Amino acid sequence: MNREDNLNINVSAPNLISVCVDTSDHGEFSGRLYQCYEEEPWRYENVVQLLRLMDNLYDIISYPQASTESRSFVKKEKEPSQRLEKRVPQDEILKPNGKVATFVIYVQYRQNATWQGEVIWKEKGMKQHFSSALELIKLVDSALGEYDI
């Protein structure tokens, strides 16, 4: 039995992602995002880019559905919804590790214009619930603070 089994990770969740952090420098981090719809990881250079990638994925797969529509200063045409097929077995996205840390994230709800769900710090085997995207960022930042010099 491995560590992931003890944490009850819902590997069947269609929006389960693994965030591999490869660099961390005083609150800013970059790395790779793994999800089951693409074989290659999505690279992100900062926190905002990571959140944008995650939100776009949730919009494309419509899971979890957003309870509100995002506002913007710039009016964009609504893109036709795409149908993504799973290309990678769900448990495969849990295998890669970040050079600094790895977080498995499951967003259960997108209510009140933010996210609610669970984040697992893979290396420490710790699970935390979060009730907003800001709280998620703070949890990841607090974990990465252990690695800052």
Side-chain angles (χ1 to χ4, degrees):
M1 181 180 275
N2 61 27
R3 181 175 274 170
E4 285 85 21
D5 293 336
N6 294 334
L7 293 170
N8 296 322
I9 296 173
N10 182 6
V11 292
S12 64
N15 66 332
L16 186 71
I17 63 166
S18 180
V19 175
C20 296
V21 178
D22 293 330
T23 65
S24 175
D25 184 26
H26 298 91
E28 198 57 77
F29 56 92
S30 64
R32 298 161 284 136
L33 181 151
Y34 289 87
Q35 38 75 25
C36 66
Y37 300 97
E38 301 238 354
E39 292 175 13
E40 292 299 313
W42 293 348
R43 301 207 178 275
Y44 63 92
E45 297 299 320
N46 55 52
V47 176
V48 173
Q49 195 175 37
L50 172 64
L51 293 177
R52 201 174 282 143
L53 286 171
M54 291 171 64
D55 204 41
N56 287 341
L57 173 66
Y58 304 149
D59 285 343
I60 290 169
I61 65 172
S62 294
Y63 189 86
Q65 286 193 324
S67 65
T68 59
E69 194 171 309
S70 296
R71 291 184 264 181
S72 173
F73 285 110
V74 180
K75 187 76 172 165
K76 287 192 254 180
E77 292 296 318
K78 193 162 186 144
E79 296 178 20
S81 60
Q82 299 170 276
R83 181 76 178 136
L84 293 181
E85 298 296 323
K86 291 183 180 180
R87 296 181 180 181
V88 180
Q90 298 278 100
D91 56 340
E92 289 293 313
I93 67 171
L94 300 177
K95 291 183 178 177
N97 290 317
K99 295 176 184 173
V100 177
T102 311
F103 301 93
V104 177
I105 301 172
Y106 171 52
V107 174
Q108 295 169 298
Y109 308 104
R110 291 196 296 168
Q111 297 176 341
N112 303 316
T114 193
W115 304 340
Q116 300 82 35
E118 299 174 337
V119 58
I120 296 166
W121 184 4
K122 191 173 166 186
E123 287 79 10
K124 298 283 184 172
M126 298 171 64
K127 181 190 281 191
Q128 289 286 331
H129 293 273
F130 59 88
S131 56
S132 69
L134 178 60
E135 188 176 7
L136 170 63
I137 293 167
K138 286 182 175 184
L139 286 166
V140 170
D141 184 58
S142 69
L144 295 176
E146 286 197 3
Y147 300 106
D148 283 341
I149 299 171

